[in-house]
C-alpha cells in the first residue's frame, strides 16, 4: 500500500514537472497587439514542419517588435528568400528566440547591417554572429519592425523558440503565447491502407478514402469496414483558431485500437535535421497528385521522427478473422480541444486472389548502392541512400526531355542530372539552361553548372527535365518618375524588373557612380532604394542599374533625376 502511494505521488510529481518544463511567464509577447495566428508550430509545410508560429500583423508592415526578455542579439541574417531579414536573441535562461520576415531592424542594428551590406556591396549578409557585448537588449526594448521579406506570403511575424545548446525548436505556445482557441480540429477525411499484398479492406487489396460523417461538434463516425491482414490509417485534418479563418496545423494525433494506444504523435519539439521526414509522415504520393496532406497513423521504417511516442506495432493493425475492432482516432489542438472518430472493423478473410503485377522496368534502385543510368545523351546519378527504400524507376528520354519517374516518391538526398551539350555551338550553350518541366507552362530554372560539353544540376524532386533557351534580356522600368524629373519629395527610388526566361540572377545599382543598396521584393518584382542610406551631393544625379538573368543576358538602364537635399 505504501509502495502504491509512493508511486502515485511520484507520478503526480513527474506530471507536474512535465507541465512546468518550460517557463510560461518568462517571455512576454513580442508584439503589442492581440495574438492571432496564421500558422501554428509543426504544421505541415512543403518538405518541412513549420518551425515557429506566424503571428498576424493586421495586414500591416512596420509594427514594433519587442524583446520578450533580457538577452543579446546573437545572430542576424539577411537573405532574399527563406526568413528574409531575421534576428536571433540569446537569453540567459537557455533559450533563443527568433524573429523572421522583418521589414527592418532597430536603428542601431539597422545601421550596422547596412554598413555590412555597403561594405560587401550585397543585399545578402550571410550569417552575422555577435558576442554578448555587441547588441545587448532589455526586456521590452524595440528590436525591429514586422515586414514581408523573404519567402513570406503576406505581412506577419514568424516567431520561434529554440534550445540554445541543442538548437532544437520548441513550440512557442509552451512559453506563454496564448491565442484564443475554442474550436476543435476539423476531420476532413480518413484514408485506409492495405499494408501487405495479403491485406484486404472490404475484399480489396487497395487504399481508399473512407466516407465519414460529422455527428456533433468534435464527433465523427464512419461505416463498418471488413478487413484482413495488416492495415493502417491516415487522416486529413486541420485546426481553426478563433478570430482567423486560416487552416492551421493540429498539435497531436492519437490512435486507439480497442482502447489501447497504437500511435501517438505531437509537435512539442523537434530538430531541423528530422523535419525532412515530413515526406514519410504524410502520404507523399497522394499529396503530389491531389495536393491534400494525409498524416499517417503508422510508421514506415525509414521515418525517424522523434515526435512519435508510445507506438505499438508501428501503428499497423493486424486484423484477425472473426474478431471485432474499434479504432478511435483523436486529433487535438494545443488548447486541448479535440475531435475524434470511431471506425468499427470486423475481421473477415477474403477468398479473392491477388497477384502483384511484376515491374518490368530495367532501372532498379537498391537504396544502399550508387546508381548511374544513361540514355540518349542524358544521365542520372543517385548516391547511396538517395531513396528511402528500394524502388523500380522509370527513366526515358523523349524529344530531349528526361522523364525521371514521377515526382511522387520522396527523396532523402539530391540526385544529379547531366546533359551532353557537345552538339551546340558556344553561343547556343551560353543561352541554354536546365529546367524542371513538370508544369510545362511554368518551367522552373534549375541551378545549371556548365562544363565544356556537359551541363548538370542536382535536385531532390523526380519528374521531367530538359534544356531551354533564353535569349531575351530582362526588362527594367522606373516607377513613379521619369528621366530628368525632380523628385525632391521622394523618400525612395523604385524600379520594376522582370525576366520571362531563366529568371533574375543579380543586379547592380549606382547613383553618381557609387553602389547603392536596393531591396528586392521578388513577389512584385520591385527594387527599392531608400534615400536615407547616404547623403547625395548636389541636386543632379545619375542613376544606373544593370540586371542579369541566370544565363547572362544583361540589360542596363540609366536615368537622370534631380533632388534637393533636405537637412
Amino acid at each position: 500500500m505504501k509502495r502504491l502511494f509512493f508511486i502515485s505521488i511520484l507520478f503526480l510529481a513527474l506530471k507536474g514537472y512535465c507541465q512546468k518544463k518550460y517557463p510560461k511567464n518568462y517571455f512576454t509577447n513580442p508584439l503589442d497587439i492581440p495574438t492571432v495566428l496564421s500558422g501554428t508550430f509543426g504544421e505541415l509545410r512543403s518538405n518541412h514542419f513549420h518551425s515557429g508560429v506566424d503571428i498576424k500583423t493586421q495586414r500591416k508592415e512596420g509594427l514594433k517588435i519587442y524583446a520578450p526578455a533580457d538577452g543579446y542579439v546573437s545572430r542576424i541574417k539577411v537573405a532574399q528568400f527563406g526568413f528574409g531579414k531575421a534576428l536571433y536573441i540569446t537569453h540567459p535562461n537557455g533559450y533563443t528566440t527568433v524573429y523572421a520576415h522583418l521589414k527592418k531592424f532597430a536603428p542601431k542594428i539597422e545601421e550596422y547591417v547596412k554598413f555590412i551590406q555597403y561594405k560587401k556591396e550585397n543585399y545578402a549578409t550571410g550569417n552575422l554572429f555577435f558576442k554578448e557585448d555587441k547588441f545587448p537588449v532589455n526586456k521590452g526594448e524595440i528590436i525591429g519592425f514586422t515586414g514581408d521579406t523573404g519567402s513570406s506570403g503576406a505581412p506577419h511575424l514568424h516567431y520561434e523558440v529554440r534550445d540554445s545548446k541543442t538548437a532544437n525548436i520548441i513550440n512557442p505556445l509552451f512559453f506563454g503565447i496564448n491565442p484564443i482557441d475554442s474550436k476543435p480540429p476539423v476531420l476532413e477525411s480518413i484514408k485506409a491502407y492495405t499494408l501487405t499484398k495479403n491485406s484486404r479492406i472490404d475484399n480489396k487489396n487497395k487504399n481508399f478514402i473512407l466516407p465519414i460523417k460529422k455527428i456533433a461538434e468534435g464527433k465523427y463516425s464512419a461505416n463498418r469496414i471488413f478487413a484482413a491482414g495488416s492495415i493502417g490509417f491516415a487522416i486529413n485534418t486541420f485546426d481553426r483558431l478563433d478570430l482567423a479563418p486560416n487552416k492551421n496545423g493540429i498539435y497531436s494525433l492519437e490512435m486507439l485500437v480497442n482502447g489501447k494506444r497504437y500511435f501517438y504523435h505531437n509537435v512539442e519539439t523537434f530538430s531541423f535535421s528530422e523535419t525532412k521526414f515530413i515526406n514519410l509522415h504524410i502520404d507523399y504520393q497522394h499529396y503530389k497528385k491531389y495536393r491534400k496532406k494525409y498524416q499517417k497513423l503508422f510508421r514506415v521504417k525509414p521515418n525517424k521522427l522523434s515526435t512519435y511516442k508510445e507506438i505499438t506495432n508501428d501503428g499497423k493493425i493486424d486484423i484477425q478473422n472473426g474478431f471485432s475492432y474499434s479504432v478511435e482516432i483523436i486529433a487535438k489542438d494545443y488548447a486541448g480541444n479535440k475531435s475524434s472518430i470511431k471506425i468499427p472493423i470486423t475481421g473477415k478473410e477474403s477468398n479473392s486472389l491477388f497477384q502483384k503485377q511484376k515491374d518490368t522496368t530495367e532501372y532498379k534502385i537498391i537504396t544502399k548502392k550508387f546508381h548511374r543510368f544513361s540514355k540518349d545523351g542524358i544521365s542520372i546519378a543517385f548516391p547511396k541512400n538517395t531513396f528511402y527504400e528500394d524502388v523500380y524507376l522509370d527513366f526515358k528520354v523523349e524529344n530531349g526531355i528526361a522523364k525521371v519517374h514521377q515526382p511522387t516518391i520522396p527523396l532523402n538526398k539530391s540526385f544529379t542530372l547531366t546533359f551532353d551539350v557537345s552538339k551546340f555551338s558556344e553561343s547556343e550553350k551560353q543561352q541554354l539552361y536546365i529546367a524542371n518541366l513538370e508544369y510545362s507552362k511554368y518551367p522552373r530554372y534549375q541551378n545549371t553548372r556548365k562544363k565544356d560539353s556537359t551541363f548538370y544540376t542536382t535536385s531532390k524532386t523526380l519528374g521531367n527535365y530538359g534544356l531551354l533557351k533564353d535569349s531575351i534580356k530582362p526588362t527594367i522600368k522606373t516607377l513613379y518618375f521619369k528621366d530628368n524629373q525632380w523628385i525632391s519629395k521622394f523618400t525612395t527610388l523604385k524600379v520594376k524588373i522582370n525576366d520571362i526566361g531563366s529568371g533574375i540572377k543579380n543586379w547592380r545599382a549606382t547613383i553618381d557612380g557609387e553602389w547603392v543598396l536596393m531591396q528586392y521584393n521578388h513577389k512584385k518584382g520591385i527594387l527599392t532604394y531608400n534615400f536615407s542610406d547616404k547623403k547625395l551631393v548636389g541636386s543632379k544625379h545619375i542613376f544606373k542599374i544593370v540586371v542579369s538573368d541566370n544565363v547572362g543576358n544583361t540589360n542596363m538602364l540609366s536615368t537622370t533625376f534631380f533632388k534637393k537635399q533636405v537637412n
Side-chain angles (χ1 to χ4, degrees):
M1 187 68 181
K2 288 183 179 180
R3 183 179 179 186
L4 181 61
F5 176 77
F6 174 76
I7 292 174
S8 299
I9 293 297
L10 180 62
F11 172 77
L12 291 173
L14 287 172
K15 184 177 180 182
Y17 171 78
C18 291
Q19 290 174 339
K20 296 179 181 178
K21 186 175 181 180
Y22 306 108
K24 280 190 173 294
N25 300 316
Y26 190 88
F27 295 123
T28 56
N29 287 358
L31 299 179
D32 189 21
I33 57 173
T35 301
V36 181
L37 302 184
S38 60
T40 51
F41 182 81
E43 72 182 20
L44 311 177
R45 298 291 177 90
S46 178
N47 297 314
H48 68 283
F49 293 99
H50 190 220
S51 58
V53 293
D54 288 340
I55 305 175
K56 284 177 172 283
T57 56
Q58 302 172 341
R59 299 181 180 179
K60 301 175 184 176
E61 296 186 46
L63 298 185
K64 296 174 182 177
I65 306 170
Y66 301 93
D70 293 348
Y72 67 97
V73 177
S74 54
R75 177 181 169 193
I76 287 173
K77 184 177 182 181
V78 177
Q80 187 58 55
F81 297 98
F83 277 179
K85 292 185 177 181
L87 180 146
Y88 301 67
I89 298 179
T90 296
H91 303 278
N93 67 339
Y95 297 102
T96 295
T97 51
V98 184
Y99 314 81
H101 309 305
L102 276 58
K103 181 178 182 179
K104 59 182 179 179
F105 305 105
K108 62 181 180 181
I109 302 173
E110 183 77 7
E111 182 181 358
Y112 178 83
V113 171
K114 283 199 173 181
F115 169 78
I116 297 298
Q117 290 172 316
Y118 273 89
K119 183 179 179 181
K120 292 184 174 182
E121 295 192 355
N122 198 326
Y123 172 76
T125 62
N127 284 306
L128 305 175
F129 295 99
F130 308 100
K131 295 182 179 180
E132 297 180 35
D133 58 348
K134 182 66 175 178
F135 294 117
V137 295
N138 297 318
K139 185 174 185 177
E141 181 180 339
I142 296 172
I143 56 173
F145 301 85
T146 63
D148 188 25
T149 57
S151 303
S152 166
H156 72 278
L157 175 65
H158 174 91
Y159 177 63
E160 290 182 11
V161 180
R162 302 183 183 180
D163 184 301
S164 298
K165 289 185 178 179
T166 65
N168 283 357
I169 332 146
I170 306 162
N171 195 328
L173 299 186
F174 280 105
F175 295 84
I177 296 286
N178 293 311
I180 301 173
D181 186 0
S182 62
K183 302 174 182 178
V186 175
L187 309 188
E188 288 205 302
S189 52
I190 302 289
K191 191 171 180 181
Y193 297 79
T194 51
L195 299 178
T196 70
K197 66 178 183 179
N198 295 319
S199 303
R200 299 290 186 277
I201 296 178
D202 291 341
N203 216 34
K204 297 176 182 177
N205 184 263
K206 61 183 294 187
N207 309 328
F208 58 93
I209 296 172
L210 300 177
I212 66 174
K213 181 180 180 181
K214 184 177 180 179
I215 55 178
E217 188 72 2
K219 294 289 183 182
Y220 297 77
S221 66
N223 294 332
R224 180 176 297 276
I225 63 174
F226 296 87
S230 181
I231 67 171
F233 292 96
I235 186 168
N236 180 21
T237 180
F238 66 87
D239 186 46
R240 273 201 178 100
L241 283 69
D242 296 21
L243 308 177
N246 307 75
K247 291 183 177 181
N248 294 319
I250 61 171
Y251 175 72
S252 69
L253 269 179
E254 182 179 20
M255 183 174 69
L256 307 175
V257 180
N258 292 340
K260 179 183 178 181
R261 178 180 280 180
Y262 257 58
F263 179 91
Y264 183 72
H265 152 78
N266 72 32
V267 287
E268 175 187 341
T269 180
F270 56 85
S271 67
F272 281 105
S273 63
E274 62 182 307
T275 190
K276 65 181 179 180
F277 293 121
I278 186 175
N279 290 331
L280 297 177
H281 174 68
I282 66 171
D283 185 330
Y284 187 80
Q285 183 178 27
H286 190 102
Y287 167 65
K288 295 300 284 188
K289 285 184 176 180
Y290 306 109
R291 312 311 292 178
K292 285 187 176 291
K293 294 176 181 175
Y294 281 87
Q295 300 190 58
K296 296 175 184 175
L297 291 129
F298 58 93
R299 175 170 54 193
V300 295
K301 284 186 177 180
N303 191 346
K304 298 178 182 178
L305 276 175
S306 64
T307 57
Y308 292 171
K309 321 285 184 184
E310 300 180 48
I311 296 182
T312 300
N313 196 34
D314 284 331
K316 300 170 184 177
I317 309 168
D318 294 325
I319 304 297
Q320 297 183 29
N321 186 46
F323 286 81
S324 294
Y325 302 82
S326 175
V327 172
E328 183 177 14
I329 298 172
I330 303 166
K332 288 184 180 180
D333 58 28
Y334 179 81
N337 303 305
K338 71 175 184 177
S339 291
S340 64
I341 183 170
K342 288 188 176 180
I343 307 169
I345 304 173
T346 296
K348 183 179 180 181
E349 288 185 352
S350 173
N351 295 323
S352 64
L353 296 175
F354 176 76
Q355 183 112 17
K356 186 177 180 180
Q357 185 177 358
K358 291 184 178 180
D359 204 318
T360 56
T361 176
E362 60 184 294
Y363 305 106
K364 183 177 180 180
I365 299 290
I366 305 298
T367 303
K368 295 183 179 180
K369 292 184 178 181
F370 171 84
H371 295 275
R372 183 184 179 91
F373 308 116
S374 297
K375 197 177 187 69
D376 298 339
I378 302 174
S379 66
I380 49 176
F382 300 99
K384 295 179 181 178
N385 300 312
T386 299
F387 292 82
Y388 288 106
E389 57 186 0
D390 297 352
V391 296
Y392 283 95
L393 196 74
D394 292 321
F395 172 46
K396 54 187 176 182
V397 177
E398 294 180 355
N399 299 319
I401 297 175
K403 298 189 174 183
V404 189
H405 206 78
Q406 300 287 333
T408 53
I409 300 176
L411 300 185
N412 182 43
K413 294 181 179 180
S414 296
F415 70 98
T416 300
L417 182 69
T418 304
F419 287 78
D420 184 340
V421 294
S422 57
K423 66 180 180 181
F424 296 102
S425 67
E426 291 304 313
S427 60
E428 287 175 320
K429 289 178 188 177
Q430 188 173 347
Q431 296 178 339
L432 290 174
Y433 65 95
I434 302 172
N436 181 303
L437 302 174
E438 197 57 34
Y439 302 99
S440 56
K441 290 184 178 180
Y442 305 101
R444 300 197 309 272
Y445 172 82
Q446 288 287 130
N447 185 22
T448 305
R449 300 174 178 91
K450 298 184 177 183
K451 293 185 177 180
D452 290 340
S453 59
T454 59
F455 289 179
Y456 70 97
T457 189
T458 57
S459 177
K460 285 190 72 174
T461 304
L462 302 175
N464 298 338
Y465 293 86
L467 292 173
L468 292 184
K469 180 181 179 181
D470 181 4
S471 59
I472 302 174
K473 297 178 180 181
T475 59
I476 312 171
K477 179 183 178 182
T478 59
L479 291 179
Y480 316 121
F481 76 98
K482 298 179 181 179
D483 191 32
N484 288 307
Q485 181 178 335
W486 280 91
I487 58 172
S488 296
K489 294 183 179 180
F490 283 35
T491 59
T492 60
L493 186 151
K494 297 176 183 279
V495 296
K496 187 175 180 64
I497 61 176
N498 185 46
D499 187 78
I500 61 173
S502 57
I504 301 293
K505 181 178 182 180
N506 54 45
W507 59 89
R508 178 181 173 82
T510 61
I511 294 178
D512 302 334
E514 294 187 4
W515 184 86
V516 292
L517 174 67
M518 298 203 78
Q519 182 168 311
Y520 185 43
N521 183 326
H522 60 271
K523 289 157 276 194
K524 297 180 179 179
I526 295 176
L527 284 164
T528 302
Y529 167 69
N530 195 314
F531 281 115
S532 66
D533 280 7
K534 57 172 60 180
K535 187 175 181 179
L536 301 178
V537 178
S539 59
K540 181 180 179 180
H541 307 283
I542 298 174
F543 170 75
K544 288 184 179 181
I545 183 169
V546 178
V547 181
S548 300
D549 63 21
N550 279 296
V551 298
N553 296 312
T554 300
N555 198 2
M556 186 192 78
L557 179 144
S558 179
T559 187
T560 300
F561 68 89
F562 296 86
K563 184 175 175 63
K564 289 182 179 180
Q565 300 307 305
V566 179
N567 294 328

